[in-house]
Amino acid sequence: MKIDRDAPIGVFDSGIGGLTVAREIMRNLPSEKVVYFGDTARVPYGNKSKETVLRYSRQIIRFLQEQKVKAIVIACNTASAFALDAVRHELEIPVLGVIEAGAVVAAKVTRNHRVGVIGTVGTIGSGIHKEQLQKLDPEITVIGKACPLFVPLVEEGWLHDPVTAEVAKRYLGELKVQEIDTLILGCTHYPLLRSTIQEIMGEHVRLVNPAYESALELKELLTRKGILASGKEEEEFPYRFYVSDLADEFKSFANSILPYDVEMTQKIDIEKY
Ligand code: DGL
């Protein structure tokens, strides 16, 4: 199948969190067009079953294919953990998750072979980071910790708040005693809590941001396949945003974190797909 290099990249998440990934794609691949889908009607995915998240992911992928995307980024750790393996074999275009790139960097930078992972209940329960890290280096001990309250705290906008710091201390205390030297921020929302997490863990713990690492992985993948955007095609809306609910709320959150003015956000009926 011939892929059009100037087609957009499809990026999806359970809601707003994947914007941290979209932001890195915009920064690191400025010539690429992006179609983003946030499943704001069915968020969160982090406490849903694998079957449900896989069904949702397939519906969104059908929608993105209708938008004629040239590649898909599953910008949600839970959906990457539950759906990537299955959907990768069902599509002719490249599909990327956000787990692998973070695992590769963590395996490279850890000195004491003790890596922590924080994420949703679904992601941590899936054991995917342990599987991937130990495939890269069987000597690595992986300590996972689900931090479910982080998502609502970020969505409330409490990024630098004593309540968030208190919750973080409680969650991260368990990882601190395990003497990890590397911590993967295995949920889309967590890069927004980076400074709080770093302060609690201490400067000696290296935080790995899979959103950034995945954007670099995407660049390498598009280059390898010869489908990086030519940069010649001008478009009125190079970034298009679709949601399954609450388009206005999505738009104001997106405008608060993206280095770009979000003008077009449209609600679509995802259950149709
Ligand atoms: N986007 C999800 C993730 O990265 C977090 C929010 C949710 O639970 O849906 O796992």
Side-chain angles (χ1 to χ4, degrees):
M1 180 188 138
K2 172 115 176 66
I3 299 177
D4 173 10
R5 63 188 299 186
D6 288 313
I9 296 165
V11 178
F12 80 88
D13 175 47
S14 55
I16 55 175
L19 290 169
T20 59
V21 181
R23 176 171 73 174
E24 297 299 344
I25 295 173
M26 292 168 184
R27 279 182 185 149
N28 291 285
L29 292 144
S31 301
E32 298 294 339
K33 288 175 262 179
V34 172
V35 176
Y36 182 97
F37 181 82
D39 200 358
T40 45
R42 306 187 294 193
V43 68
Y45 283 8
N47 54 10
K48 293 199 170 66
S49 69
K50 180 173 177 164
E51 294 68 41
T52 299
V53 173
L54 182 56
R55 181 167 70 81
Y56 290 173
S57 301
R58 285 193 173 120
Q59 286 179 311
I60 298 167
I61 287 170
R62 282 195 279 275
F63 166 73
L64 291 173
Q65 283 183 298
E66 202 178 87
Q67 306 300 310
K68 307 226 173 321
V69 298
K70 65 177 174 184
I72 290 177
V73 179
I74 306 182
C76 171
N77 291 263
T78 312
S80 299
F82 285 161
L84 178 63
D85 256 2
V87 300
R88 194 174 247 167
H89 302 292
E90 297 166 3
L91 299 171
E92 287 189 72
I93 53 171
V95 195
L96 207 86
V98 283
I99 305 237
E100 200 178 328
V104 168
V105 171
K108 216 182 283 170
V109 300
T110 180
R111 293 282 155 257
N112 70 358
H113 295 93
R114 297 184 68 75
V115 175
V117 185
I118 50 177
T120 63
V121 172
T123 301
I124 299 303
S126 77
I128 187 144
H129 288 92
K130 184 169 180 201
E131 193 186 300
Q132 299 215 351
L133 282 158
Q134 292 187 338
K135 213 188 288 164
L136 293 161
D137 181 349
E139 299 284 288
I140 295 178
T141 300
V142 182
I143 300 121
K145 174 77 187 154
C147 306
L149 292 175
F150 280 173
V151 167
L153 286 167
V154 168
E155 298 202 355
E156 195 60 32
W158 294 7
L159 304 185
H160 308 280
D161 189 280
V163 172
T164 307
E166 203 43 52
V167 171
K169 260 186 224 146
R170 211 140 142 191
Y171 281 144
L172 301 175
E174 264 178 54
L175 294 174
K176 272 186 85 131
V177 295
Q178 294 282 345
E179 298 186 341
I180 56 166
D181 72 350
T182 306
L183 178 61
I184 300 177
L185 306 178
C187 172
T188 48
H189 291 56
Y190 301 178
L192 299 171
L193 297 177
R194 191 184 182 115
S195 57
T196 305
I197 295 170
Q198 187 79 70
E199 203 175 301
I200 293 167
M201 294 308 295
E203 286 305 320
H204 64 287
V205 174
R206 166 85 182 258
L207 302 188
V208 176
N209 177 3
Y212 171 71
E213 306 301 342
S214 300
L216 299 189
E217 190 192 353
L218 174 67
K219 188 171 185 177
E220 199 207 290
L221 177 82
L222 298 179
T223 309
R224 196 165 9 99
K225 298 219 170 264
I227 53 170
L228 263 181
S230 66
K232 288 184 204 131
E233 270 195 14
E234 289 283 317
E235 201 163 304
E236 194 185 356
F237 296 117
Y239 304 137
R240 298 191 334 252
F241 299 86
Y242 297 89
V243 289
S244 45
D245 205 0
L246 300 172
D248 289 342
E249 285 81 349
F250 177 90
K251 193 166 149 187
S252 55
F253 187 87
N255 273 320
S256 73
I257 75 156
L258 291 181
Y260 161 83
D261 207 11
V262 175
E263 292 167 60
M264 203 227 71
T265 307
Q266 195 180 319
K267 181 180 158 183
I268 60 137
D269 180 4
I270 197 64
E271 293 293 359
K272 256 182 21 203
Y273 288 86

